[in-house]
Amino acid sequence: MLDLPAPDAELMTLRVARAEPAADGVQLFELRHPEDAPLPAFTPGSHLAVRVPSGAMRNYSLCNDPHERDRYVIAVKREENGRGGSVALIDGTPPGATLQVSAPRNLFELDTRAPEYIFVAGGIGITPILAMIRYLQAEGGKPFRLFYLTRNSASTAFREDIAAIGGSIVIHHDEGDPDQAYDLWPVFEEPGRAQIYCCGPRPLMDAVRDMTGHWPENAVHFEDFGSDLVRPRADDQPFTVCAGAEAAPLDVPVGTTILEVLRAHGRTLPSSCESGTCGTCRTRYLSGEVDHRDMVLTEAERQEALMICVSRARGTLVLDL
Ligand code: FES
């Protein structure tokens, strides 16, 4: 989950109508207007930015049917080794409490014109996909296949909801053993007409991206909140970035992004997800060896552009700014 600056004036105060476990380590929150007024509409794949009791902002996908206007439902995975936002939210938000939330935003838009869909959800990544499936069902139904991959039965949120929806659904548990991971290759071996939506941990998204390189461009969509895209890797190295051919080099230390460094030096640059999945921060570069870490650019696009919210470089990178 990302720390997003959100002025209080842009936030709504909502009542927590329900706060209860949805699975081991997953807490469901149902949010309503304090006077039961209708809430701003949302589209499938949308998320809310929530101010957690510690004051930080975190993004959570909406998982209820987007046709509903009387409530927002989110499910929060308790990240014991995270930065504390999820633990503060779960432990500090009983039913009847209030939460400040943004209006819904969508960085994982469902293409409602697609003839069919393939959904791949890893763990808590089921939340935006559940909203998509609920939306499609309410709209009369279109063919879809869901692959919901979790560690075990106890950690599988919304199991009953999904069973009630029916359709082509695979729920697979790997018991934490990579050797028991579900083999998605037969699903993607033959390119088809489906739009593919994948939300889950980085290794799962990497695997799906690797298996769908031969699918049409723009057929595969990813969303990542809270996985390790933006966390340092053990082999990360500092490098320098120049904001233009004539610009002075700026240091990008380990644990800091190009975007953060440029902003710290006064550049105003657009961003949204800050996890390499939305495409907003796409920036052309003139020279340098880029270590691409996004989920949106094709190999051809990577020859001239990068996502500066996540990608790094070796040596000196010169941006076309
Ligand atoms: S801000 Fe979304 S890809 Fe960088």
Side-chain angles (χ1 to χ4, degrees):
M1 321 299 165
L2 306 169
D3 285 318
L4 295 178
D8 286 354
E10 295 179 7
L11 300 181
M12 302 177 275
T13 300
L14 300 183
R15 173 173 57 89
V16 178
R18 287 166 62 204
E20 60 195 35
D24 274 5
V26 177
Q27 184 85 335
L28 178 145
F29 293 97
E30 179 183 301
L31 310 177
R32 292 178 178 265
H33 190 279
E35 285 146 23
D36 289 323
L39 297 169
F42 69 98
T43 50
S46 295
H47 68 271
L48 300 178
V50 178
R51 186 179 295 287
V52 303
S54 64
M57 299 300 294
R58 297 287 186 270
N59 289 334
Y60 296 106
S61 295
L62 289 158
C63 57
N64 55 312
D65 181 352
H67 295 88
E68 296 175 350
R69 295 292 304 277
D70 58 342
R71 63 176 190 155
Y72 295 144
V73 180
I74 59 174
V76 178
K77 180 165 186 235
R78 187 182 183 92
E79 303 276 7
E80 294 289 357
N81 298 318
R83 290 178 294 155
S86 64
V87 172
L89 182 57
I90 291 171
D91 290 350
T93 315
T98 58
L99 281 176
Q100 288 190 300
V101 309
S102 70
R105 302 171 66 216
N106 201 339
L107 303 176
F108 193 44
E109 198 96 41
L110 182 73
D111 179 353
T112 55
R113 300 158 307 171
E116 56 195 76
Y117 302 88
I118 298 172
F119 298 115
V120 181
I124 197 64
I126 189 66
T127 48
I129 286 170
L130 190 53
M132 292 175 172
I133 291 172
R134 285 176 161 146
Y135 175 88
L136 293 173
Q137 295 291 102
E139 289 288 301
K142 276 187 182 175
F144 74 88
R145 287 188 285 165
L146 168 65
F147 299 88
Y148 182 19
L149 313 177
T150 68
R151 173 178 285 258
N152 52 40
S153 176
S155 65
T156 303
F158 305 111
R159 174 182 276 281
E160 284 85 28
D161 303 57
I162 289 165
I165 288 169
S168 175
I169 293 169
V170 172
I171 300 179
H172 177 81
H173 309 309
D174 66 9
E175 306 296 337
D177 177 1
D179 289 343
Q180 294 187 49
Y182 189 80
D183 181 9
L184 288 164
W185 176 241
V187 179
F188 297 123
E189 187 171 7
E190 289 295 328
R193 301 183 309 151
Q195 290 285 303
I196 301 164
Y197 291 84
C198 175
C199 184
R202 175 67 188 237
L204 174 65
M205 295 198 298
D206 281 344
V208 170
R209 188 175 61 181
D210 290 347
M211 282 187 262
T212 54
H214 56 304
W215 279 65
E217 262 184 45
N218 305 321
V220 194
H221 313 268
F222 296 96
E223 181 167 74
D224 167 81
F225 287 142
S227 80
D228 52 4
L229 275 174
V230 292
R231 291 181 195 154
R233 297 181 188 172
D235 58 349
D236 277 355
Q237 297 292 329
F239 60 98
T240 56
V241 64
C242 302
E246 307 298 325
L250 304 171
D251 291 331
V252 184
V254 172
T256 305
T257 67
I258 298 171
L259 182 64
E260 289 168 338
V261 167
L262 294 176
R263 284 180 172 160
H265 286 81
R267 301 294 298 233
T268 302
L269 297 163
S271 74
S272 194
C273 72
E274 299 197 7
S275 61
T277 55
C278 76
T280 305
C281 70
R282 177 177 178 151
T283 303
R284 291 171 56 87
Y285 63 97
L286 302 171
S287 63
E289 186 184 348
V290 180
D291 176 6
H292 292 279
R293 298 188 181 182
D294 65 279
M295 302 298 297
V296 287
L297 294 175
T298 64
E299 280 310 315
E301 292 170 328
R302 286 180 166 188
Q303 303 309 309
E304 58 182 33
L306 77 158
M307 295 302 172
I308 58 173
C309 65
V310 287
S311 294
R312 301 184 65 80
R314 293 173 197 88
T316 298
L317 173 69
V318 181
L319 300 175
D320 187 9
L321 283 173

